[in-house]
Amino acid sequence: MIQLLGRLKVVMPDGNAQVMKWRTSKAKELFTYMLTHRNEIIQRDLILKLFWPEIDMDKATKQLYTVIYTIRQTLENYGLEGVEISSPLLKSGYQLLLKDVEIDVEQWLTQLKSLPPLKLTTIRAHEQVFQAYSGNYLGDSDYLWSKSERERLRRLWLYHAQQLSKYYMKNENYFAAVKVQVKVQSFFPDEEESYFILMKLYDLLNNAAAVEEQYWLLKKMLKKQVAMEPREEIERWYQKWRQMSAILQV
């Protein structure tokens, strides 16, 4: 299996995972780009325009050939004979095909789409899919062309995570809901709602220190990201909570 969630890794049949090491960053990026567009024929001119926009055509073409050769060598080094890069259009384009090689993103999406309705007898399947999301798509890289797919997958996972969290809260399993929201916050540190949900969960668990921590973490995040204060609804809830806490302490 090739893992694209989190760091780019190869997972061997025995379950051993290795981070793929590349001779050049360009080879790694072109490989992940072709893997993202697997089965498609990618025009050579498009590759040159994306990866060598400021170099003349002849020099860029030579560099492309070198990078393709490097990719093939790297795949061979990791025993990925099932990943084939061909040039079906008389060297005017490339196509990456997979044989006996799985992609973790494809598996995760298939599992997500096939989930049954969320209830007591299906909660384990939902938890497995939730936990299988091991990191953002190509999370160790910042390729401009991968951002839309990364965001699409993040939002799919976030929606499922929030449904799982609501189920736990409805059934008063607050500790499980906290675990979900902590993971949400690690992947979506700018998601204001996650901080608010955790504040309310910690209140239900009588953990005043954790409520305060989430509030100040939220203020810190908002100040850094958008130079704003928490929205009015959160401020009202927090101030009311502080008043009630002070009354209870007295």
Side-chain angles (χ1 to χ4, degrees):
M1 177 186 290
I2 296 176
Q3 182 175 311
L4 296 176
L5 294 173
R7 303 190 68 184
L8 178 61
K9 294 181 181 179
V10 176
V11 183
M12 307 309 289
D14 61 2
N16 181 41
Q18 301 179 49
V19 176
M20 295 187 75
K21 296 180 180 179
W22 296 86
R23 186 178 300 174
T24 67
S25 59
K26 190 75 75 176
K28 177 186 176 183
E29 183 178 3
L30 181 56
F31 170 68
T32 53
Y33 178 82
M34 296 180 76
L35 194 61
T36 299
H37 295 278
R38 53 193 171 277
N39 303 321
E40 301 175 19
I41 297 177
I42 308 169
Q43 295 293 329
R44 186 186 65 178
D45 289 349
L46 175 60
I47 296 175
L48 296 177
K49 184 178 179 180
L50 284 173
F51 289 85
W52 291 276
E54 299 176 358
I55 301 178
D56 68 77
M57 183 69 73
D58 290 340
K59 188 175 181 180
T61 301
K62 290 178 182 178
Q63 291 197 25
L64 172 59
Y65 292 155
T66 301
V67 168
I68 292 292
Y69 175 77
T70 300
I71 292 172
R72 286 172 172 152
Q73 274 194 320
T74 304
L75 294 174
E76 185 177 341
N77 292 340
Y78 285 97
L80 290 170
E81 291 83 4
V83 182
E84 178 188 347
I85 298 175
S86 62
S87 184
L89 298 178
L90 300 176
K91 296 186 178 181
S92 65
Y94 291 92
Q95 184 179 35
L96 185 146
L97 299 172
L98 299 177
K99 182 180 179 181
D100 299 325
V101 177
E102 299 289 337
I103 304 293
D104 65 338
V105 173
E106 287 185 349
Q107 281 196 350
W108 182 76
L109 283 171
T110 299
Q111 292 167 358
L112 179 68
K113 291 174 182 177
S114 63
L115 279 174
L118 187 54
K119 54 185 178 180
L120 182 61
T121 55
T122 64
I123 189 66
R124 180 162 296 192
H126 282 265
E127 288 174 342
Q128 289 174 344
V129 171
F130 171 74
Q131 294 297 342
Y133 189 88
S134 55
N136 290 323
Y137 183 72
L138 295 174
D140 63 339
S141 306
D142 191 28
Y143 305 139
L144 185 63
W145 52 263
S146 68
K147 287 185 177 180
S148 61
E149 180 65 1
R150 180 181 303 147
E151 188 62 18
R152 183 180 79 90
L153 294 170
R154 274 164 45 100
R155 290 294 162 184
L156 284 172
W157 178 79
L158 177 62
Y159 178 79
H160 178 250
Q162 298 298 20
Q163 297 307 304
L164 189 59
S165 179
K166 288 176 183 177
Y167 174 84
Y168 285 136
M169 292 172 71
K170 181 180 179 181
N171 289 276
E172 300 184 1
N173 191 348
Y174 302 132
F175 286 106
V178 164
K179 288 182 179 179
V180 171
Q181 291 300 328
V182 166
K183 187 169 182 178
V184 166
Q185 202 172 89
S186 70
F187 288 148
F188 288 81
D190 57 349
E191 190 72 21
E192 187 176 10
E193 191 63 24
S194 179
Y195 295 86
F196 190 28
I197 294 173
L198 279 171
M199 287 165 64
K200 291 187 283 189
L201 283 169
Y202 285 130
D203 177 40
L204 291 168
L205 292 168
N206 296 313
N207 190 339
V211 175
E212 292 281 8
E213 181 185 37
Q214 285 300 313
Y215 176 74
W216 291 106
L217 284 173
L218 173 59
K219 283 180 70 74
K220 182 180 178 181
M221 181 276 291
L222 289 173
K223 184 177 180 181
K224 181 180 178 182
Q225 297 287 346
V226 290
M228 291 176 62
E229 293 294 317
R231 69 178 189 265
E232 186 178 347
E233 177 190 4
I234 297 176
E235 281 290 356
R236 283 201 309 268
W237 184 95
Y238 175 70
Q239 295 304 328
K240 184 177 180 180
W241 172 81
R242 288 196 68 186
Q243 290 172 8
M244 292 298 297
S245 296
I247 292 171
L248 290 172
Q249 288 175 6
V250 172

